[in-house]
Amino acid sequence: MNKVSEMRDIIKGNAVVGQSGGPTAVINQSLVGVIESAAEHECIENLLGARNGVRGIVEGRFVSLNGLGSDLLERVADTPASALGSTRDKPDDDYCGHILDVFAKNNVRYFFYIGGNDSADTARIISDLAGKANYQLRVFHIPKTIDNDLRVTDHCPGYGSAGRFVASAVMGDDRDNCSLPGIKIDIIMGRHAGWLTAASMLARQDSDDGPHLIYVPESPVSENKFVEDVAEVYGRLGRCLVAVSEGIEDEAGTSWGEHITQTTERDSHGNIQLSGSGALGDYLAQLVKDKVGAKLGGKRLRVRADTFGYLQRSFAGYASPVDAKEARKVGQKAVQFAMKGYAGGSVAIRRKAGPKYGVTYFRAKLHDVARETKALPREFISPSGNNIAESFRDYAAPLVGRLPRIGKIG
Amino acid sequence: MNKVSEMRDIIKGNAVVGQSGGPTAVINQSLVGVIESAAEHECIENLLGARNGVRGIVEGRFVSLNGLGSDLLERVADTPASALGSTRDKPDDDYCGHILDVFAKNNVRYFFYIGGNDSADTARIISDLAGKANYQLRVFHIPKTIDNDLRVTDHCPGYGSAGRFVASAVMGDDRDNCSLPGIKIDIIMGRHAGWLTAASMLARQDSDDGPHLIYVPESPVSENKFVEDVAEVYGRLGRCLVAVSEGIEDEAGTSWGEHITQTTERDSHGNIQLSGSGALGDYLAQLVKDKVGAKLGGKRLRVRADTFGYLQRSFAGYASPVDAKEARKVGQKAVQFAMKGYAGGSVAIRRKAGPKYGVTYFRAKLHDVARETKALPREFISPSGNNIAESFRDYAAPLVGRLPRIGKIG
């Protein structure tokens, strides 16, 4: 990278900020970070919020973000889900060309897009098109995803809060399962990456605490192995708490969601959704009831499944303080990087070395963050493949913040 | 009631405390309240914790609760779900006779049972049997239920924390639904009583906020009316958030859970569970997708359902402070009432008159709390039957504590 050739003059003009993809508990922290920092720089004449991300840009739906009071901004920052609205649109070159036209017509010179790898890709395409058209535009991607699957950055804003929710939910659920013993299956978001499901391991404080088994998409498992694992734990402890990624796959690389469409009547109703549906949990509960029950000589088992669903990403009032702070910071940093004259990039987080948690922020290339994602590394998965290694605690604990303390009797 | 005839001398002996039924986030506060107060009274020689409620008593599984350190006790108090273990056993006269034998053999003179209406009934039977056998025993029921359906008391410990969870979840979910508009259905616990589902109304801060529709078992609804309601809101707002009690019934008094067994393949798998299963939510989502979609000219709708499941009762770290305090207090009060020489009763809460929230505690008769439950009064259900009246806010808001604040842009 040649810094000098990449640097350009600061230009006066308008700025647009948008939010994309699945919401998080702290995505508005990043929005407010952009608003605060943009207000400090005179070369940003007007800051416009695009309603529903890129969709609002092409449809001309903007809201002025100038001169908002700090009390309102703090309330917005604390509110889960995208305050500007979101979109699932994944723009191609044509769509992005349209966006660039809107920008040129409105003298938009700065674009800040808060989202995941798809949003980084949108930013990349727009940045490339602007370069080809010789239109001076600074394009910054601001990372956001509960999936924690963006490349380059150590972790993603939004993940800490979702992980905090998951760990606290599983911690309480494990106590529930201990007080009324049985087999409990918790389905956790993560279609391709197991980061969020892995955070359930933070619920364990003592060796017999659940989750006793953790399945992530990076470690495929057959139905037989799953049943054997559960039967082993249940036989040993008289109960079993299982955390399962919604994207769990079998050894042939087929998602278990596919099993459901093949083996139940539900396929006639249309697509199986992994989130916003209890289908996978109910399927696994039935599998365990039938097959683990049979293994244990026809024992009638108490089996329940909960699908944590959208609560993981949008529960109000339980964000991780560290996550909230970092989410604000990545928004501010995007504006600051743009003001330094960089043409574009994705804000990334680097963890400082040493025992005390701390981070620095840097600018990654859009190309390096766009499209592809980062799986949970093998080192964080226990050799058995059905659990998360203790080393993951060091990685994740600082991100979720202080968790509730558990007290037991006897 | 003749107080004088009911009073007896203080007797020296052992005490047993147990926990029963579905856990709550604060049921251990009540346990710790009993432990603390029992330690202050010399006539309680040993306090024994029954493992898994009445089941542990008949099986002789006890743990000593004497001399536990205050740090451990505070940690136990903050931990969701029953620290002593729970049970679903509903003892009859024979079972209770067995309990009484165990008590007599061990000179147990005080029994404190933390639970719902079934536990109050167990306490009632044991108390009656002791009276007939002329065995001096003080039996106190300590109220606990997220369902808030106990008679006599203004509200039940456990409800405030569950309501706090539900209100915060729905509040965040409504922002999520606003950022990615569609129809969202949230299934909330409450097989017979709508109190917990009603707490979802606390999520509303502005007039267009969800939940836009709230269905409770006390207000039956047909599938057609449900579909019409959702279509009306969606047509008006372009989105719709619906809160539904798991115990929702049609106008013939049949639970919707029954519809599912009649109309899907799921009945071959065994009983439909309302909690620990996503079946009802998935059923309603499909109903809405098909029928509301058809009403809107075959429009393909984004419909999702989440079943809040066990998280409502056992999520760690998000209890209502008021609820936690009151749960501790009812445990303490039970011991204090016993020490005053009353033969038995159920601790109940009376709300003080006036604008500032405050409560006093009193002793209700076991017979008046046992068995039957208290439905959500008609006055709290809107005349349309598909929502909760604003007057419910005054009732419920003090119980759940301060909720997150919401900020919106534009």
Side-chain angles (χ1 to χ4, degrees):
Chain A
M1 186 169 71
N2 185 336
K3 264 193 177 182
V4 178
S5 72
E6 197 195 12
M7 300 283 286
R8 308 186 204 177
D9 297 333
I10 298 297
I11 40 169
K12 269 205 156 182
N14 298 315
V16 165
V17 60
Q19 296 172 305
S20 183
T24 80
V26 297
I27 187 171
N28 292 330
Q29 292 281 357
S30 298
L31 172 64
V32 170
V34 170
I35 296 173
E36 286 173 334
S37 284
E40 292 169 5
H41 295 279
E42 286 191 356
C43 58
I44 295 182
E45 295 175 323
N46 286 297
L47 176 63
L48 300 168
R51 289 285 185 200
N52 302 105
V54 288
R55 175 65 70 96
I57 298 174
V58 296
E59 293 176 355
R61 291 187 289 115
F62 293 102
V63 56
S64 168
L65 299 176
N66 305 318
L68 301 178
S70 64
D71 182 60
L72 172 63
L73 288 182
E74 287 305 328
R75 271 189 290 123
V76 168
D78 283 344
T79 300
S82 313
L84 293 173
S86 191
T87 178
R88 290 289 184 190
D89 284 4
K90 292 175 190 173
D92 56 12
D93 279 20
D94 279 358
Y95 196 121
C96 289
H98 196 158
I99 289 171
L100 203 60
D101 290 346
V102 174
F103 284 175
K105 249 179 238 164
N106 294 281
N107 194 34
V108 172
R109 298 294 179 170
Y110 302 93
F111 178 42
F112 303 102
Y113 207 30
I114 308 167
N117 55 312
D118 286 331
S119 307
D121 199 40
T122 300
R124 179 192 64 79
I125 299 172
I126 293 172
S127 182
D128 287 353
L129 287 178
K132 280 179 203 160
N134 221 9
Y135 178 77
Q136 285 218 331
L137 181 70
R138 312 280 148 85
V139 182
F140 278 84
H141 168 248
I142 298 167
K144 167 276 343 173
T145 170
I146 65 164
D147 292 332
N148 203 41
D149 61 354
L150 295 180
R151 290 181 296 161
V152 185
T153 190
D154 176 77
H155 58 276
C156 305
Y159 173 67
S161 296
R164 178 176 180 74
F165 181 90
V166 165
S168 299
V170 171
M171 186 182 285
D173 200 33
D174 186 55
R175 293 298 88 210
D176 195 314
N177 181 258
C178 198
S179 71
L180 286 168
I183 296 164
K184 178 72 196 299
I185 299 161
D186 288 333
I187 308 293
I188 296 168
M189 276 183 168
R191 201 172 271 264
H192 303 294
W195 294 97
L196 187 54
T197 303
S200 67
M201 71 84 75
L202 298 171
R204 289 198 290 255
Q205 299 188 359
D206 298 324
S207 60
D208 280 356
D209 288 352
H212 307 103
L213 298 165
I214 304 176
Y215 297 95
V216 293
E218 291 86 349
S219 181
V221 62
S222 67
E223 291 196 359
N224 280 346
K225 180 66 166 65
F226 179 87
V227 165
E228 274 169 25
D229 289 350
V230 173
E232 187 280 321
V233 173
Y234 188 82
R236 184 159 46 86
L237 299 176
R239 69 184 191 94
C240 183
L241 187 72
V242 192
V244 180
S245 278
E246 60 182 7
I248 183 175
E249 288 187 355
D250 66 21
E251 280 141 330
T254 311
S255 88
W256 284 49
E258 286 297 310
H259 294 214
I260 300 171
T261 56
Q262 286 159 20
T263 57
T264 76
E265 295 299 310
R266 317 189 110 259
D267 54 349
S268 65
H269 297 315
N271 293 326
I272 291 289
Q273 278 135 19
L274 295 178
S275 299
S277 152
L280 178 61
D282 290 352
Y283 176 76
L284 295 181
Q286 196 57 52
L287 181 74
V288 165
K289 220 177 263 181
D290 294 344
K291 300 211 170 161
V292 177
K295 262 185 191 294
L296 301 174
K299 194 175 159 76
R300 200 178 148 79
L301 298 170
R302 180 176 180 271
V303 187
R304 301 286 187 272
D306 275 328
T307 303
F308 288 0
Y310 288 5
L311 276 59
Q312 297 161 89
R313 71 187 196 190
S314 59
F315 190 85
Y318 202 66
S320 154
V322 167
D323 189 32
K325 191 178 140 193
E326 292 181 354
R328 180 80 74 107
K329 206 79 183 174
V330 291
Q332 296 167 345
K333 283 287 173 184
V335 175
Q336 290 164 14
F337 286 138
M339 289 305 119
K340 284 185 179 164
Y342 294 112
S346 174
V347 181
I349 299 174
R350 184 179 290 122
R351 194 184 295 232
K352 288 180 183 169
K356 194 169 160 2
Y357 178 78
V359 298
T360 57
Y361 301 86
F362 66 103
R363 193 175 54 91
K365 289 185 188 173
L366 287 171
H367 288 74
D368 292 341
V369 180
R371 284 184 294 193
E372 281 168 47
T373 55
K374 184 172 70 183
L376 185 70
R378 186 71 223 181
E379 66 186 272
F380 286 144
I381 302 170
S382 64
S384 57
N386 60 12
N387 220 317
I388 296 298
E390 198 55 29
S391 60
F392 186 73
R393 195 181 292 272
D394 296 336
Y395 171 82
L399 312 181
V400 306
R402 185 193 287 263
L403 290 173
R405 53 188 197 162
I406 291 294
K408 297 174 191 173
I409 285 179
Chain B
M1 184 171 66
N2 185 335
K3 264 195 178 182
V4 178
S5 72
E6 197 196 11
M7 301 282 288
R8 309 186 205 177
D9 297 333
I10 298 296
I11 40 170
K12 269 204 156 186
N14 297 316
V16 165
V17 60
Q19 297 172 305
S20 182
T24 79
V26 298
I27 187 171
N28 291 330
Q29 292 280 357
S30 298
L31 172 64
V32 170
V34 169
I35 296 173
E36 286 173 333
S37 284
E40 292 170 4
H41 295 277
E42 286 190 356
C43 58
I44 295 182
E45 295 175 321
N46 286 297
L47 177 64
L48 300 169
R51 290 283 185 203
N52 302 105
V54 287
R55 176 65 72 96
I57 298 174
V58 297
E59 293 176 356
R61 292 188 288 115
F62 294 102
V63 56
S64 168
L65 298 175
N66 305 318
L68 301 177
S70 64
D71 182 61
L72 172 63
L73 288 182
E74 288 305 329
R75 271 189 291 123
V76 168
D78 284 344
T79 299
S82 313
L84 293 174
S86 191
T87 179
R88 290 287 185 192
D89 284 4
K90 292 174 191 175
D92 56 12
D93 278 20
D94 279 357
Y95 196 121
C96 288
H98 196 160
I99 289 172
L100 202 59
D101 290 344
V102 175
F103 284 176
K105 248 179 242 164
N106 295 281
N107 194 35
V108 172
R109 297 294 177 170
Y110 302 93
F111 178 41
F112 304 103
Y113 206 32
I114 309 167
N117 55 310
D118 285 332
S119 308
D121 199 40
T122 299
R124 179 191 66 77
I125 299 172
I126 294 173
S127 182
D128 288 353
L129 289 178
K132 280 180 203 157
N134 220 10
Y135 178 77
Q136 285 217 331
L137 181 71
R138 312 280 148 85
V139 182
F140 278 84
H141 168 248
I142 297 167
K144 167 279 341 173
T145 169
I146 64 163
D147 291 332
N148 203 41
D149 61 354
L150 294 181
R151 290 181 296 159
V152 187
T153 189
D154 176 77
H155 57 276
C156 305
Y159 173 67
S161 296
R164 178 176 180 75
F165 182 90
V166 165
S168 299
V170 171
M171 186 182 284
D173 200 33
D174 186 56
R175 293 298 88 209
D176 195 314
N177 181 258
C178 198
S179 71
L180 286 168
I183 295 164
K184 178 72 196 299
I185 299 161
D186 288 334
I187 308 292
I188 297 169
M189 277 184 167
R191 201 172 270 263
H192 302 295
W195 293 97
L196 187 54
T197 303
S200 67
M201 71 85 74
L202 298 171
R204 288 199 291 255
Q205 299 188 359
D206 299 323
S207 59
D208 280 355
D209 287 352
H212 307 102
L213 298 165
I214 304 175
Y215 297 96
V216 292
E218 291 85 349
S219 180
V221 61
S222 67
E223 291 196 0
N224 280 347
K225 179 65 165 65
F226 180 87
V227 166
E228 274 170 25
D229 288 350
V230 172
E232 187 280 321
V233 173
Y234 189 81
R236 184 160 46 86
L237 299 176
R239 70 184 191 92
C240 183
L241 187 72
V242 191
V244 180
S245 278
E246 60 183 6
I248 183 175
E249 289 187 353
D250 66 20
E251 279 140 330
T254 311
S255 87
W256 283 49
E258 286 298 310
H259 294 215
I260 300 171
T261 56
Q262 286 160 19
T263 58
T264 76
E265 295 299 310
R266 315 189 112 260
D267 53 350
S268 65
H269 296 316
N271 293 324
I272 292 290
Q273 278 135 17
L274 296 177
S275 299
S277 151
L280 178 61
D282 290 352
Y283 176 77
L284 295 182
Q286 197 57 51
L287 181 74
V288 164
K289 220 177 262 182
D290 295 344
K291 299 210 170 161
V292 176
K295 263 185 190 293
L296 301 173
K299 195 174 159 75
R300 199 177 149 77
L301 298 170
R302 181 175 179 271
V303 186
R304 301 286 187 273
D306 275 328
T307 303
F308 288 1
Y310 289 3
L311 277 57
Q312 297 162 88
R313 71 186 196 191
S314 58
F315 190 84
Y318 201 66
S320 154
V322 167
D323 189 32
K325 191 178 141 192
E326 293 180 354
R328 179 79 74 108
K329 206 79 184 175
V330 292
Q332 296 167 343
K333 283 286 173 186
V335 176
Q336 289 164 14
F337 286 138
M339 290 304 119
K340 284 186 180 163
Y342 294 112
S346 174
V347 181
I349 299 174
R350 184 179 289 123
R351 194 184 294 232
K352 288 180 184 168
K356 196 168 158 2
Y357 178 77
V359 298
T360 57
Y361 301 86
F362 67 103
R363 193 175 55 92
K365 289 185 189 174
L366 286 170
H367 288 75
D368 292 341
V369 178
R371 281 184 296 195
E372 282 168 45
T373 55
K374 184 171 71 182
L376 186 70
R378 186 71 223 182
E379 66 186 272
F380 286 145
I381 302 170
S382 64
S384 57
N386 60 14
N387 220 318
I388 295 299
E390 199 53 31
S391 60
F392 186 74
R393 196 181 292 272
D394 296 336
Y395 171 83
L399 312 181
V400 306
R402 186 193 286 264
L403 290 172
R405 53 190 196 161
I406 290 294
K408 297 175 190 175
I409 285 180

